[in-house]
């Protein structure tokens, strides 16, 4: 039976297999992002056994460290050539937590976007306080499919993102952040998806896919829409995002 629940951005490789099996019972698709090359390989390996996981390979801006971005991009492309990769992520730019590495982040992100373009893959993008820059880079490279995860930036950039046909994912923090809830109310259904970013602790909230139904309920209530309508929109958008 087809299920309605989806998660647009989850670090599935950090969950135990017992938990993954439980997710599999209720989630149609979990877009499984990676943090670095090691977790990218693990995500690919998990996706061979858990078909509901859509594997993304990537290096998070927090994980660039002292590595040579050219070498990382070459390794990433090697993984892409294996043919199982469904998207590139988690990748992006971060001016909130690691602004000191921004130049390196930008070098690497541009190379990742070239890979996305060359292999026609979608990108699952981290944009902490670098919303405008991340959107401009994606646009400049002509990447067709992009999802700006846990978007919390200004509304004018949000409008540009959705006008270009890119997606936004709404996080369960709508329950504790009025700012995040306000954004969730502004995203048109054509660009809306739900995510967990689990497992991650945000102000005492342990993020996991299990929080998505409650987030959907809250956003539906705030928007005066039916929950099923939001679940279907999120699922349709994720399916389109993944393509093929
Ligand atoms: Zn993440």
């Amino acid at each position: 039976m087809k299920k309605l629940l989806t998660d647009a951005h989850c670090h599935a490789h950090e969950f135990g297999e017992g938990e993954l099996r439980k997710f599999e019972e209720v989630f149609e698709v979990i877009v499984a992002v990676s943090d670095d090359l090691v977790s990218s390989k693990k995500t690919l390996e998990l996706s061979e056994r858990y078909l509901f996981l859509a594997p993304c390979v990537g290096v998070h801006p927090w994980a660039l460290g002292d590595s040579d971005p050219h070498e990382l991009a070459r390794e990433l492309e090697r993984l892409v050539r294996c043919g199982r990769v469904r998207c590139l992520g988690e990748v992006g730019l971060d001016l909130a937590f690691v602004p000191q590495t921004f130049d390196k982040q930008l070098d690497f992100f541009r190379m990742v976007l070239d890979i996305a373009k060359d292999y026609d893959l979608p990108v699952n993008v981290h944009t902490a306080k670098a919303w405008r820059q991340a959107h401009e880079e994606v646009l400049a490279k002509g990447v067709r499919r992009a999802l700006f995860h846990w978007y919390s930036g200004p509304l004018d950039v949000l409008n540009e993102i959705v006008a270009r046909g890119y997606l936004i994912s709404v996080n369960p923090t709508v329950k504790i952040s009025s700012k995040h809830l306000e954004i969730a109310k502004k995203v048109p259904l054509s660009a809306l998806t739900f995510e967990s970013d689990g497992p991650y602790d945000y102000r005492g909230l342990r993020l996991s896919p299990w929080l998505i139904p409650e987030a959907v309920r809250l956003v539906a209530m705030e928007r005066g829409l039916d929950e099923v309508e939001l679940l279907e929109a999120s699922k349709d958008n994720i399916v389109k995002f993944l393509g093929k």
Side-chain angles (χ1 to χ4, degrees):
M1 195 183 79
K2 290 273 180 189
K3 305 152 196 136
L4 265 182
L5 274 174
T6 50
D7 184 338
H9 181 107
C10 174
H11 299 257
H13 65 91
E14 292 182 48
F15 285 99
E17 298 217 19
E19 194 110 49
L20 290 179
R21 275 191 290 274
K22 287 186 201 149
F23 295 152
E24 191 168 32
E25 284 170 23
V26 289
F27 281 83
E28 179 72 14
V29 182
I30 286 186
V31 181
V33 295
S34 306
D35 304 336
D36 51 24
L37 294 174
V38 172
S39 55
S40 292
K41 286 173 196 158
K42 185 168 178 197
T43 302
L44 281 171
E45 188 262 317
L46 283 171
S47 73
E48 288 182 32
R49 286 180 289 123
Y50 296 94
L51 300 179
F52 76 113
L53 296 179
C56 314
V57 298
V59 181
H60 195 292
W62 299 352
L64 289 177
D66 297 328
S67 323
D68 171 10
H70 292 88
E71 183 52 31
L72 283 180
R74 271 194 295 276
E75 288 293 327
L76 211 55
E77 189 170 359
R78 238 168 259 156
L79 291 178
V80 166
R81 284 212 208 96
C82 85
R84 291 188 52 81
V85 173
R86 302 287 303 279
C87 92
L88 299 174
E90 179 166 356
V91 292
L93 300 174
D94 188 314
L95 282 170
F97 301 95
V98 287
Q100 69 281 8
T101 64
F102 191 76
D103 290 347
K104 186 191 264 194
Q105 293 176 37
L106 196 54
D107 277 352
F108 180 64
F109 190 44
R110 286 175 174 163
M111 288 185 260
V112 170
L113 294 174
D114 283 332
I115 297 172
K117 189 92 170 92
D118 290 348
Y119 294 84
D120 193 20
L121 283 169
V123 284
N124 205 308
V125 192
H126 173 103
T127 59
K129 284 204 164 64
W131 309 288
R132 200 174 300 276
Q133 292 92 333
H135 174 243
E136 279 169 3
E137 291 299 325
V138 169
L139 203 54
K141 291 286 187 183
V143 170
R144 228 163 38 86
R145 291 168 289 159
L147 180 144
F148 293 80
H149 113 83
W150 198 345
Y151 184 85
S152 60
L155 287 179
D156 64 323
V157 180
L158 171 74
N159 291 337
E160 286 170 31
I161 289 171
V162 305
R164 297 289 176 173
Y166 298 138
L167 303 180
I168 299 286
S169 57
V170 166
N171 190 274
T173 52
V174 286
K175 145 177 169 176
I176 54 169
S177 160
S178 53
K179 182 182 172 193
H180 297 171
L181 183 59
E182 277 314 300
I183 287 168
K185 285 158 72 176
K186 301 255 168 19
V187 183
L189 291 190
S190 59
L192 181 71
T193 66
F194 286 87
E195 62 148 64
S196 67
D197 202 19
Y200 185 70
D201 284 307
Y202 180 83
R203 298 190 196 162
L205 193 64
R206 186 182 185 264
L207 298 176
S208 102
W210 298 126
L211 299 188
I212 290 179
E214 191 188 354
V216 172
R217 212 171 302 134
L218 176 63
V219 174
M221 198 179 69
E222 288 283 333
R223 295 178 65 148
L225 294 171
D226 189 73
E227 277 171 53
V228 173
E229 206 175 344
L230 294 191
L231 287 167
E232 279 173 348
S234 181
K235 183 171 149 181
D236 289 351
N237 291 334
I238 289 175
V239 168
K240 261 185 248 155
F241 170 73
L242 293 170
K244 287 170 242 180

